[in-house]
Amino acid sequence: MDAADVRMTGAGELWRVAWRATCRAGRGIRWYMTTLMGDGAYATFVAHQRRHHPDAPVPTEREFWRQRMADQDRNPGARCC
């Protein structure tokens, strides 16, 4: 292996590290945005209902979102919009 091969190996490794860091940052941004928008809210609600209230009926996702929006309209609290 000559000096050019060593430089390429170092540059290749640098690109791999940079790519991994970029992918990790992208996953973090995706998680933040989906959490911020409430994409997992219904799944979290269903898991809670089944764990803590197993005999209660679980509303459909449409009913869940309607109720959530109605609750936010009744009690706006501190929110941006």
Side-chain angles (χ1 to χ4, degrees):
M1 189 184 292
D2 64 1
D5 291 335
V6 171
R7 279 193 303 271
M8 289 301 290
T9 302
E13 183 63 24
L14 181 62
W15 280 107
R16 270 193 291 279
V17 169
W19 179 251
R20 285 187 202 131
T22 302
C23 289
R24 185 174 182 193
R27 284 191 301 272
I29 291 168
R30 181 179 183 275
W31 171 84
Y32 177 76
M33 292 303 293
T34 57
T35 301
L36 182 68
M37 299 305 290
D39 289 355
Y42 180 69
T44 303
F45 170 75
V46 170
H48 171 84
Q49 283 293 103
R50 290 189 175 145
R51 194 171 39 252
H52 296 285
H53 312 284
D55 297 332
V58 177
T60 65
E61 188 169 1
R62 176 178 232 146
E63 293 169 339
F64 167 78
W65 285 110
R66 283 185 177 165
Q67 182 62 42
R68 185 172 171 151
M69 294 299 120
D71 289 344
Q72 285 182 348
D73 287 343
R74 278 193 303 276
N75 305 309
R79 60 180 190 187
C80 65
C81 310

